[in-house]
Structures are given as C-alpha cells and as structure tokens.
Amino acid sequence: MKNLVICWMLLGLITCANAQSNQGRTITGTVADLITHDSLPGVLVVVKGTKKGATTDARGHYSIEVPAGNTHLIFSYVGYASQEIAIGDRQTINVELAQDTKVLSEVVVTGYKTQVRRSITGSIAPMGAQPRSFHPLPNPSTESYKAMQETGFLDVRRQPVTTFSADVDRASYSNIRRLLNNGQRPPKDAVRLEEMINYFSYQYPQPTGEAPLSITTELAESPWNSGLQLLRIGLQARRVKNDQLPPSNLVFLLDVSGSMSAPNKLPLVQASLNLLTDQLRPVDRVAIVVYAGAAGLVLPPTSGDQPQRIKDAINQLQAGGSTAGGAGIELAYKVAKDHFIPNGNNRVILATDGDFNVGISGEGELQRLIEQQRKTGIFLSVLGFGMGNLKDSHLETLADKGNGNYAYIDNLPEARKVFIHEFGGTLFTVAKDVKLQLEFNPAYVQAYRLLGYEDRRLANEDFKDDQKDAGDLGAGHSVTALYELIPAGTKSQYLPKTDSLKYQTLVDTKASAQSGELLTLKVRYKQPADSVSRQLQQVVKTKSVSFDRATNDFRFAAAVAEFGLLLSESSYKGSARYRQVVKLAKGALTDDSEGYRSEFVRLVKTASGLTASGEVVDDDNN
C-alpha cells in the first residue's frame, strides 16, 4: 500500500511538471556592458521565433515568459552586438553585451518592393577610445516638458460647444515607456493622454466617399466614474498604397552635436534612417544636412535608387561640438526649397535630442521661421532621441508649427514602427488643418470633459477660420478622442459650481429630448494643396451600452486613458486603479500581431511598482 501511495505521488509530480512544461516558464536575469559591467536599461529581450519580448529596467533586470517549446533568447541593443542564448534548463540567464561598430545586421524590411533581406549595416562613429560608461538614471531635471493644466467638466447650458484640433503625435507614450523601463515615474507634464491613446491602432472603417477620412463614434459607461458615460470619437484617414504615394523631396536634418554621442542617440538615429532609406523609391530624393558647431550639407539630393550612397552618408557621421540648430533648420529648408516637387511630399525630418544652444534658439523666432516655410508647402516632422536632456516641449512645438508629426524613438523596434509599419502616415499628409467641433444637447448631457488635448483646444470661432492652423492626418493615420459625460439628472462631485444665469433663454428641454440626439459632431479639413476647408457632419444618438458590451477597441482605449489618469494623478480619476487597467487591457488584446497591446500590459505592471500607494500588480494578483 505504501509503495502504491508513493507511485501516485510520483505520478502527480510528473503530471504537474508536464503541465508547467506545456504552459512555459519565466526566465529572469540581468544585462550589462561586457567591459564596464554597467547595467544596461532598455535592452530588448525577445523569444526567438516569436513576437514575445521584454526590456530591461533601470538596473538591467528583465523577466520574460517563454512559451513551451521555445529554446533561445535574443538580446539586442543599439551600439552593441546582439547575442542569441540557448535557454536549456536555466531559470536565470545573465548576459554581458559587447559594444560594436555596427548598429544591426540583416533586418527584414518591407515597403515599395517585395519583402527581401537586406543589409543596413554601416560603420558608426567611434564613441571614444575608452569604453563608455552607461548611466541608466540621468538627472531628470535636465529634461523639459510643457506645463499642462488639466481641464475640468464644463456646463453644457453655459458652454454647449467645444472645439479642438486633431493630433496624431505619439511621442508621449514611447517617452513614458522609456522612463518606466528605466525605473523612473514620468513627470506629470510628460503625460499627454491623447498621444498615449493614439499610439495604438484601432479598427476604424476606411472612408468610402470623396472625403479622405471617416468618422466613428461609440458611447458606453465610464469604467472609473460610476454613473458617467464615455464617448469615443474616431477619425480614420484613407490608406494609400506606398507605390501610389506622391514623390518625396526629403531633407534629413541631423543633430550631430556632442550631446548626441550616447548609444541611444546618434547611433539609433543612424539605424532608424537606414530603415527609412530602404522604403524609398527611385522617384524619391533625399538630402542630408547636419548641425553641430556649424551646419553643413553632407549629401546633396540623391535618388532613392541609390540606397547605399545614402546609407554611407548617414553611417559616417560623428558626434561632437555645440548645437547650431537654428542654422541647420535654415539650411535644410533652403535645400528643400531649391529642389521642391510640385504636388509632391516636401518635408524636412529633424532628428535631435532637442538642444538648440547656438544661433536661432528663441521659441518665437524658430516658430515664425517654421510657420513661414509651412506656407510654401514644406512640412517639418520631428524625431526625438535619447534621455537626460530631452527637450520634449521644444520638439512638440516645432512639429506642431511645421504641419508635421512628433515621434519619440527610444529603441529600434519603435523606429521600425514609425518608418516601416506606419510609413505612409509618418511622411504623407492626406488631410491638413483637421478640426473637430461638438455641440451637446442639454436634454441629455449636463457637463462634459475632453480627456487630454490640453494644448490642442481652439476657440469656437476658430472652427471656420481657415487661417487657423490645426492638426494633420497622414495616410492611414487615425485619431481617437474620448469625452467623459455627466448625463442629465445625474448627481456628481464633478459638476461645475456656478450661479444660475438670469437672462439666458432656457432650452426647450422637451423638444430636445424628443430628438434623441446626444450631440452633433462637425469635422473640418483641407486637402493637402487647398487653402479652403471642407466640412463633414454627423449626429450622435443617445444609445449607450454597458462597458463590458463595448467593442474591444473602445475598452482598450479606455484602459490607456485610465493609465494616463493614474500617471498624471488626475483629479478626475475616480476609482481608477492599476489592477483595473490591466484587467481591461488584457480583455481587449485582439488585433495585436505586433505585440504593442501586450507590451502595454507589462508597462502598467511596471508602473504599479513605482507608485507610493503600494498597489503592485503582477501575474498572480491582477
């Protein structure tokens, strides 16, 4: 009998072991520099043959779930040689990476041509004879962010109309990701809700008429404020096949000053632009202007059918000197103007950490220069790189004034997202000066609040003013906005406290209620070459659903918004909790072939461990 019991126990242990083997396991470890032994934050760790990945934190630590049957991990970081490590039966794998003179080797790129494997390697400027010590926690005081004043709820009877500019920038999310992966809680002003929400793609329908964009709306319960509603508005720009896009006249404006010498700055800029170069066609032209102590032209306009010549010019760059950013911008615009393509895509692409300390440096002077050039049809896109001295507020302003978009690139996968997966949207505008205006029906809505878009608010009279600049949509881009609503008759602590009006005419509530209309939404836009705007209009009915019956996209967008409310310590976060964010996001992980939504869940768990509240979310208690 005793032997029988032992057999059953052994059988149970074997069964558990097999079950765990089938479910996979968690591998942990650290990554450091081979020579200095300094921790390396932000190293990408990927399970070979899958899209499953993780990044190291501020101490170089990582944790990754490895599905059953997978045998290797790949460790990669810009400026270092990648390593492929066999897992074996280990639970802990510590790795030391060696610095390399090649940014990456053999990456699959897709674009205008059939998918092929091409080398985009090239020599990178030496970063010093002695091994460079990597400092994972730079002084955050050297980074600057525009102060944000959160907007509260507005009384519909006093302010029934709200107007704002579209925004497709995504820089805030990737910058927040960089900070959290480095063990730093983001400054409140670094959290821009609209950029976090718009970082992700949503399944909006393509436009079917002449207009270059479609409108989608959805109404459900608010998951963090009981009794309130959440309204989602989605604009989808028409997708255009890459081979049907207009020819490009691109000028790469590259910061090669001394502050750009770190591995996640100039070397990452070079790797990113190598990716972009592989997307070019023979009809496209590229020039390269650099600036440090002075500005100069290192590559005259060159056809896209000479990719190696373009890469050679990119890869031979070295960092050093001060930052004559103003002179660089002036020269870049001159080159773009001299080779202007009528009805083409004429654009300057600025890559920098944001320092402008020589030449034109005043915000006003730079803005006027960029606004003047914008009127000629030459747009400006801005790419932010690096940590420690990122001038986020400066870069966002330049992109806004230049009719371009602002992206922050913290690693090579983000560069692939910007320059391969979102190539058309990054570079080609299909609708400019896009504005949205909503008029709420007081019979159904007492008060409303737009989440984010603080620096995109417009006066209502700006809506029809075609001289007023607004946001632009690139090919295939989408814009998502969320409004939180206090329904009529609902008691809420957020209701504005104001005296009643004496002389205003009361709205015919009965007639308004009979219409069943929650609001009227208007959208104005211009074709890229036009100076006169056109208008779309859509009525939104009062039909609302419970949150659990909303679409996956709605629920995921709400999860991202709730995360932003927590990071910014919003006064309107209600019952928001990190645990709830994880639950909502994990319930909406569909259409996640690139793993961005899964990465978001990991990021929320990381953020929960940095809070003062002690609410730590992990795989066991989410």
Side-chain angles (χ1 to χ4, degrees):
M1 181 68 180
K2 182 177 180 181
N3 290 337
L4 181 61
V5 171
I6 293 174
C7 288
W8 278 108
M9 292 175 64
L10 290 173
L11 181 60
L13 290 173
I14 292 172
T15 302
C16 290
N18 288 337
Q20 291 177 352
S21 176
N22 291 334
Q23 293 175 358
R25 54 188 167 138
T26 300
I27 304 296
T28 60
T30 60
V31 184
D33 184 288
L34 177 64
I35 303 299
T36 66
H37 307 297
D38 288 334
S39 300
L40 294 179
V43 176
L44 180 64
V45 186
V46 176
V47 180
K48 184 179 180 181
T50 74
K51 297 183 182 297
K52 199 168 188 63
T55 53
T56 55
D57 63 16
R59 298 173 298 280
H61 293 173
Y62 72 91
S63 176
I64 187 169
E65 297 176 11
V66 180
N70 293 95
T71 59
H72 289 74
L73 294 179
I74 298 174
F75 297 79
S76 58
Y77 188 66
V78 172
Y80 289 78
S82 296
Q83 282 197 43
E84 181 177 318
I85 305 294
I87 299 172
D89 58 358
R90 292 179 288 177
Q91 297 290 332
T92 301
I93 299 177
N94 298 324
V95 176
E96 290 188 324
L97 299 181
Q99 292 192 21
D100 197 354
T101 58
K102 297 194 175 185
V103 178
L104 84 157
S105 174
E106 293 292 311
V107 67
V108 175
V109 297
T110 59
Y112 296 110
K113 306 182 182 82
T114 305
Q115 178 169 307
V116 294
R117 187 171 291 274
R118 298 187 184 131
S119 171
I120 61 172
T121 61
S123 62
I124 291 200
M127 288 183 263
Q130 299 300 319
R132 179 175 297 277
S133 178
F134 192 90
H135 301 283
L137 291 175
N139 181 2
S141 66
T142 61
E143 299 191 358
S144 64
Y145 300 92
K146 186 184 300 182
M148 292 292 179
Q149 184 64 45
E150 186 176 34
T151 304
F153 281 87
L154 299 177
D155 189 326
V156 170
R157 290 190 180 273
R158 291 172 175 269
Q159 301 182 61
V161 179
T162 169
T163 307
F164 67 100
S165 164
D167 186 5
V168 295
D169 292 344
R170 287 94 181 270
S172 179
Y173 179 81
S174 51
N175 185 40
I176 286 170
R177 177 178 61 200
R178 181 260 301 184
L179 291 166
L180 290 174
N181 283 334
N182 286 343
Q184 296 174 313
R185 186 174 175 84
K188 293 180 183 180
D189 292 330
V191 181
R192 296 189 288 273
L193 260 67
E194 71 278 8
E195 294 185 23
M196 295 180 65
I197 296 168
N198 284 312
Y199 180 85
F200 301 92
S201 59
Y202 304 100
Q203 298 302 308
Y204 295 128
Q206 279 291 296
T208 56
E210 294 183 359
L213 50 88
S214 67
I215 302 173
T216 300
T217 60
E218 190 173 4
L219 184 66
E221 299 170 345
S222 169
W224 55 80
N225 278 316
S226 178
L228 274 58
Q229 295 178 325
L230 204 59
L231 170 70
R232 180 176 70 133
I233 301 169
L235 303 182
Q236 176 64 56
R238 178 174 283 113
R239 294 185 179 90
V240 181
K241 293 183 179 179
N242 287 350
D243 58 3
Q244 296 177 359
L245 292 168
S248 288
N249 167 34
L250 304 178
V251 180
F252 295 164
L253 175 57
L254 309 183
D255 182 351
V256 294
S257 62
S259 67
M260 291 290 290
S261 62
N264 60 354
K265 292 189 179 181
L266 183 57
L268 183 54
V269 170
Q270 292 167 310
S272 301
L273 295 181
N274 274 317
L275 291 175
L276 174 57
T277 299
D278 277 312
Q279 308 305 300
L280 302 176
R281 306 160 297 177
V283 296
D284 301 322
R285 291 197 300 261
V286 168
I288 300 178
V289 172
V290 299
Y291 63 92
L297 178 68
V298 300
L299 180 72
T302 302
S303 171
D305 61 3
Q306 301 182 60
Q308 195 56 51
R309 183 184 177 194
I310 299 172
K311 291 179 185 179
D312 288 344
I314 293 170
N315 294 330
Q316 58 84 32
L317 299 175
Q318 300 186 36
S322 55
T323 317
I329 287 180
E330 289 182 307
L331 178 57
Y333 275 123
K334 181 180 185 304
V335 174
K337 182 179 180 181
D338 290 345
H339 299 87
F340 189 86
I341 300 177
N343 299 318
N345 171 41
N346 299 277
R347 187 177 298 263
V348 174
I349 300 175
L350 169 62
T352 178
D353 59 6
D355 269 340
F356 288 76
N357 54 31
V358 177
I360 299 177
S361 57
E363 286 274 353
E365 193 174 356
L366 271 174
Q367 287 181 33
R368 285 188 289 274
L369 169 66
I370 292 169
E371 288 172 342
Q372 181 180 1
Q373 295 296 333
R374 179 186 73 205
K375 296 175 182 178
T376 69
I378 302 173
F379 296 164
L380 174 70
S381 290
V382 180
L383 307 175
F385 288 84
M387 63 180 70
N389 64 333
L390 177 70
K391 308 306 179 193
D392 176 82
S393 59
H394 200 53
L395 300 185
E396 182 192 19
T397 299
L398 297 184
D400 290 347
K401 300 301 181 181
N403 270 15
N405 48 339
Y406 169 39
Y408 176 79
I409 297 181
D410 56 336
N411 53 39
L412 196 57
E414 183 65 19
R416 290 176 59 82
K417 180 178 187 290
V418 171
F419 289 128
I420 294 180
H421 304 307
E422 300 172 353
F423 178 67
T426 299
L427 297 181
F428 297 92
T429 300
V430 297
K432 67 179 183 180
D433 291 338
V434 181
K435 308 169 189 174
L436 296 87
Q437 187 171 84
L438 288 74
E439 180 184 357
F440 288 97
N441 185 346
Y444 296 106
V445 182
Q446 284 188 89
Y448 61 86
R449 190 175 88 88
L450 175 60
L451 276 63
Y453 291 91
E454 281 84 2
D455 58 353
R456 294 285 187 164
R457 308 297 169 98
L458 297 173
N460 292 331
E461 56 268 26
D462 292 337
F463 184 66
K464 290 189 175 183
D465 182 358
D466 286 343
Q467 302 302 311
K468 188 68 177 180
D469 182 51
D472 306 298
L473 268 68
H477 263 168
S478 64
V479 172
T480 299
L482 295 177
Y483 274 89
E484 196 165 19
L485 312 180
I486 302 178
T490 300
K491 294 183 178 180
S492 173
Q493 61 178 322
Y494 303 134
L495 282 172
K497 295 178 174 60
T498 58
D499 292 332
S500 58
L501 299 177
K502 181 177 180 181
Y503 299 110
Q504 304 305 311
T505 302
L506 293 177
V507 175
D508 187 341
T509 306
K510 183 176 181 180
S512 298
Q514 288 176 344
S515 71
E517 297 180 0
L518 184 76
L519 63 97
T520 297
L521 168 64
K522 300 175 183 177
V523 178
R524 293 191 79 87
Y525 68 93
K526 297 174 187 171
Q527 298 284 358
D530 290 353
S531 59
V532 178
S533 64
R534 309 180 188 190
Q535 180 171 306
L536 301 175
Q537 182 169 313
Q538 183 169 308
V539 172
V540 179
K541 295 293 186 177
T542 57
K543 184 179 180 181
S544 175
V545 298
S546 59
F547 187 81
D548 59 358
R549 293 184 60 190
T551 63
N552 286 328
D553 278 353
F554 185 103
R555 287 184 280 117
F556 188 82
V560 178
E562 185 173 352
F563 184 40
L565 295 176
L566 288 166
L567 290 178
S568 63
E569 300 178 8
S570 169
S571 301
Y572 306 96
K573 64 180 182 294
S575 62
R577 296 291 183 273
Y578 288 100
R579 186 171 292 106
Q580 177 170 270
V581 174
V582 170
K583 181 180 179 181
L584 296 182
K586 291 183 73 172
L589 291 181
T590 56
D591 302 315
D592 192 36
S593 60
E594 297 297 330
Y596 298 127
R597 295 191 180 192
S598 299
E599 179 191 53
F600 171 78
V601 173
R602 292 195 297 271
L603 205 63
V604 176
K605 293 178 181 179
T606 299
S608 72
L610 300 174
T611 64
S613 66
E615 185 199 355
V616 179
V617 181
D618 56 34
D619 290 325
D620 296 325
N621 67 4
N622 59 25

